[in-house]
Amino acid sequence: MPEGITAEKLLNNIMETISDNAQKKKSVSFFEEEKSNSVTSQFKRLFGREKPVYNLLGGGKSADVMLWRNKKISASFITGATLIWVLFEWLNYHFLTLLCFAVVLGMIAQFVWSNASGVFSRSSSEVPRLDLPAELFQNIGVAVGFQVNQALGFLQDVACGGNLKQFLMVVVSLWAAAVIGSWCNFLTVLYVGFIAAHTLPVLYERYEDQVDGFVYQVLGQLQHNYRKLDSGFLSKIPKGSLKGKKHE
């Protein structure tokens, strides 16, 4: 009997130990899985971002317009851009023609205002004048010059850096842009970019998870194809320095 009781107790202890370990392992695996899912959801954002789309766009009024926080203002921007594109692209108006018409209409309005105010009232009212601040043009010139210098610096760094792969990628990208430019004029490219800037961010904010998953799948496939191309062709290209050698 003592041996049977000892064996029974030993068997019960073994079963209790196994059940306790299984419960601990299950709880640990659950928390580890939850932690891994949270980490995955944190890092599976587009371009590894952590801030919301509103903050990435700089916040303020520009982000409100691009994310359609005020639908009337956003719709007015889209309508104005579409009207300009239709006038120049479909109706074949020229910028100089529209500018002259606008100046003539403005002068006629000021002429009528200044003469009609003296006829219908004893005291002539002051005619409103359009005066653009000089700081506006200075800020535009500084911003455009900064962006142009950055682009020129990047292109020159690529040309003189000695990285043949990066050089070929930039050349192919410029060639693709040239081909796209041959399909449509510069105004159409600007219009498409403007419409995309005012529609894609709000669509991405609304369907954020679906877009991130799809983009990461596409990027994974592209990386897989690039590794194949790199191992089969690009890795065999000799990396020569493009810097000038000193002549003896």
Side-chain angles (χ1 to χ4, degrees), residues 79-143:
T79 304
T82 304
L83 180 62
I84 293 174
W85 182 73
V86 169
L87 288 175
F88 287 105
E89 186 67 19
W90 280 11
L91 302 180
N92 293 325
Y93 275 93
H94 298 284
F95 177 74
L96 183 60
T97 304
L98 292 178
L99 180 62
C100 292
F101 282 161
V103 171
V104 168
L105 290 176
M107 292 180 65
I108 292 175
Q110 287 185 336
F111 178 80
V112 172
W113 187 307
S114 62
N115 290 278
S117 60
V119 174
F120 295 102
S121 61
R122 295 180 181 179
S123 60
S124 60
S125 60
E126 184 179 357
V127 180
R129 293 176 176 270
L130 179 62
D131 187 11
L132 298 177
E135 295 179 355
L136 175 63
F137 300 99
Q138 293 176 359
N139 295 332
I140 293 175
V142 170

Side-chain angles (χ1 to χ4, degrees), residues 7-25:
E8 185 177 358
K9 289 182 178 180
L10 180 62
L11 182 61
N12 290 331
N13 291 332
I14 292 173
M15 295 299 296
E16 289 178 358
T17 304
I18 293 174
S19 62
D20 292 339
N21 291 332
Q23 291 179 357
K24 290 181 179 179
K25 184 177 181 182

Side-chain angles (χ1 to χ4, degrees), residues 150-171:
Q150 272 196 333
L152 291 176
F154 171 75
L155 294 176
Q156 294 177 66
D157 291 340
V158 171
C160 304
N163 191 339
L164 185 59
K165 294 180 182 180
Q166 187 180 18
F167 178 77
L168 292 176
M169 291 178 63
V170 172
V171 170

